[in-house]
Every structure is written in structure tokens, then in C-alpha cells.
Amino acid sequence: MDYQRIFAEAIERLHAEGRYRVFIDILRNRGSFPNARCFAGHNGPKPITVWCSNDYLAMGQHADVIAAMEEALHDVGAGSGGTRNISGNTHYHIDLEAELADLHGKDSALLFTSGYISNEATLSTIARILPGCIIFSDALNHASMIAGIRNSGCEKRVFRHNDLEHLEQLLAEAPADAPKLIAFESVYSMDGDVAPIAEICDLADRYEALTYLDEVHAVGMYGARGGGISERDGIAHRLTIIEGTLGKAFGVMGGYIAAEKNIVDVVRSYAPGFIFTTSLSPVLVAGALTSVRHLKKSSAEREAQQAAAERMKAIFADAKLPVMPSTTHIVPLLVGDPAKAKRISDILLAEYGMYVQPINYPTVPRGTERLRFTPGPAHNDAMMRELAGALVEIWDRLEMKLAA
């Protein structure tokens, strides 16, 4: 068996399809984000502007967050020392879980090392605990949610994206006495659209289903205290489980769920992805704790980011760039070809010092490849207009059509 040939052919298929992923080599500049330094292909670092960070509010650069992490480092050291059950349960973890439960109006919360793990571990565990459970999953759910559903071994029924009629049809076809769980997201990060959460909760009530809402692209970003779309719309209390991340708007690292105490306790007690994983470093937890507390009190960052996103959409539209419809902070620009998406990204970085990552299959469906921009509070009009001008020039160079 020629193992190396098989591996090489697998990689070559990605190159041939134009969707081989290249990791950019950068360092962010503390205190001046979105400015950063790029090391790839240069004789020393080259100044660049980052346009695609999920640190939406630049909280990873916030002075209070950095100070809290430095204080924790010098107080308790670098690592947690073990799993939560074996010496890795620090006072920082307990405080942060209490803050997150309060953020979503739930009894309890549970920290994980990432949003991926929180989705996979929770969905797979909850479904295994409920005999005969059927999970109803939105067609555009995160890969981590899909993995959790698959690993649960339960029956899965996929409803068309945000299609309430299709969801109700599937619920009605299911046995009335079967446990049911509807899994969906609030903000879908590749298109920037929002789920009809209240209407899904109505269906859940009608068919006696539990609800699982992934708010990773919305926590910190929406609601008076950053509780997400569910807080903004006043419906967090109607959701069974809310899942979020600490690595996007909160600017640090980690994932979590918030729910009624017994549900959290079941996941804590049965999920291998939680039980057997070294807990988050208290340094990270201290930073996340400070970020969550800050964004509960301050809306300035959210408001500045939303204003920047609206400005960028208008500037792109004025330049006839094919900006996709979005009602959120995500600004996707349709390319429709993986090789061209990569080429545009490469030219922007090499010639203009602007970094945006191409988004290709399987993250988005084939034929909908795009550039995904996430302007933050520090991206100003001049920077956006310079970016739009660069994109128009590249579109012309590659003989691509602008919008009519």
C-alpha cells in the first residue's frame, strides 16, 4: 500500500479545486488593531490591515482584558493543572460560569476549551441521554453541531435553512411521544442572516421539543448586555440551551453552554469532551471574565462595530461590488469561484497590505465562494474606501463583472 501517494493525491485534489487552505503568518499589534504584521513571503514583517478577524470588537486588545490576564498569570501561573475534576477547577472558572449564566438568564453555565467542543460535547450527550431522541437541524448549522449530532447516534432530520414550514412538516411527521431537539444558530456567519428564533420556539412549544441555540457569532454583539440575538429579542428565557464562544466578540478563547441546572449537570457529568479535557488556563478565563463583565456594561463597542458594518456595506454597494445581503455585522462579498477568491485574497495581501481570507467549500456551498469582511470599531471610512478601490481594481484586472 502506497500510503504517501494516497495522502499526496488527497492534497493535490484540494490544489486542483482551488481550495487548498494556506495559513497566514501574522502578529497583531497590541493596542492598534486592525494593524498587524505579516511575515509570509517578506524579508521581515510587512505592515498589513486585518479585515476578517472574528475578534469583532477588538476585546482581545482591550487594556482591561490584557491587565486581567497579566494579573492572573503572576498570581496563579500559566496552566490550570488538570481537568475540572482533577485540580483544574479554579475560582476564575466558577466566577466566569456564574457571569455567563447571568448573561443569558439561566440557572447554570459550563465552560469548554472551544466553541467546537461545547457544541459537539453537548449535542452528542443530550441526545444520548434522551432515549429515541430526534434532532431537527438547520441545513446551515456549524460543522461542530453536525459532528455532535452525528456522534450522538440519534436520528437526525435536516430542515431547509430558516424554513419554518419545512421544520413544522418534519416535526409533525415525527412520533408524538419521541423526544425532540431543534438545533439552530442565531447569526449564520457566512451569509450574515438571522434565524426566526421566536417562531422556532413557537414550534418547539407546539411539538414539545427542546431548543438548542448556537449564539457564537452573536454573543457580545447584540442585546443590551451582549447576550446575543436572543437577549435583543427578549426570548432567551424560551430557549432550553444557549451555546456561545469566548473567542469571537469576547476576544479570548473558549466555549460554553448556559441552561437549567440539571441539563448543565448532565453534560458536566456525562460528556467525554468535557470530562477528559484539561480545563482552560486561568489566564484565559481571567481575560474572558473581564471581557464579559465589560460588555455587559458597555455598548460603545457594539454600536461602533454595527456602524462600521453599515458603512462598509454602503461603500461596497456604491462601488458596484457584489456585496451579499446581510442584516448583521458580517459583510460577505460574492466571488463564486474558489481559485478567483484565493487570487483576490493573495493580491490584496501582497500588493495592498490588506488581509481577508477566502471562504470556500465545504464552509460554504460550491459556487458561492466569497470574501468575508468583518469591519470593527477601528476600521474608518478612509480605510474602507481604500479597500473598495483596491477590490474594484482587482475585479477589473481579473476581468470579473461588477454589479449593475
Side-chain angles (χ1 to χ4, degrees), residues 13-34:
R13 286 196 296 273
L14 297 178
H15 281 290
E17 295 174 19
R19 59 187 187 92
Y20 180 75
R21 298 176 187 231
V22 177
F23 297 160
I24 188 171
D25 182 1
I26 66 172
L27 289 174
R28 300 200 292 177
N29 297 334
R30 173 180 169 177
S32 62
F33 188 76

Side-chain angles (χ1 to χ4, degrees), residues 157-168:
R157 300 186 184 177
V158 178
F159 60 94
R160 291 186 292 271
H161 176 54
N162 280 350
D163 190 328
L164 294 169
E165 289 185 5
H166 191 214
L167 173 58
E168 181 163 20

Side-chain angles (χ1 to χ4, degrees), residues 28 55 59-60 65-66 69 245-254 280-281 283-292:
R28 300 200 292 177
D55 185 0
M59 289 303 296
V65 172
I66 294 170
M69 295 178 74
T245 182
L246 303 167
K248 293 183 170 64
F250 293 125
V252 189
M253 179 183 176
L280 281 168
S281 162
V283 176
L284 295 171
V285 179
L289 178 61
T290 298
S291 183
V292 170

Side-chain angles (χ1 to χ4, degrees), residues 51 310-324 331-333 371-373 375 383-385 387-389 391-392 402-403:
W51 286 99
E310 290 306 309
R311 286 199 303 274
M312 173 170 273
K313 292 172 191 176
I315 289 170
F316 278 5
D318 288 344
K320 307 301 183 184
L321 290 163
V323 60
M324 300 170 68
V331 185
L333 199 62
L371 304 174
R372 175 182 174 274
F373 296 88
M383 296 164 70
M384 293 181 197
R385 295 189 186 282
L387 171 64
L391 287 165
V392 168
L402 293 170

Side-chain angles (χ1 to χ4, degrees), residues 43 143 171 187:
N43 183 20
L171 287 165
V187 173

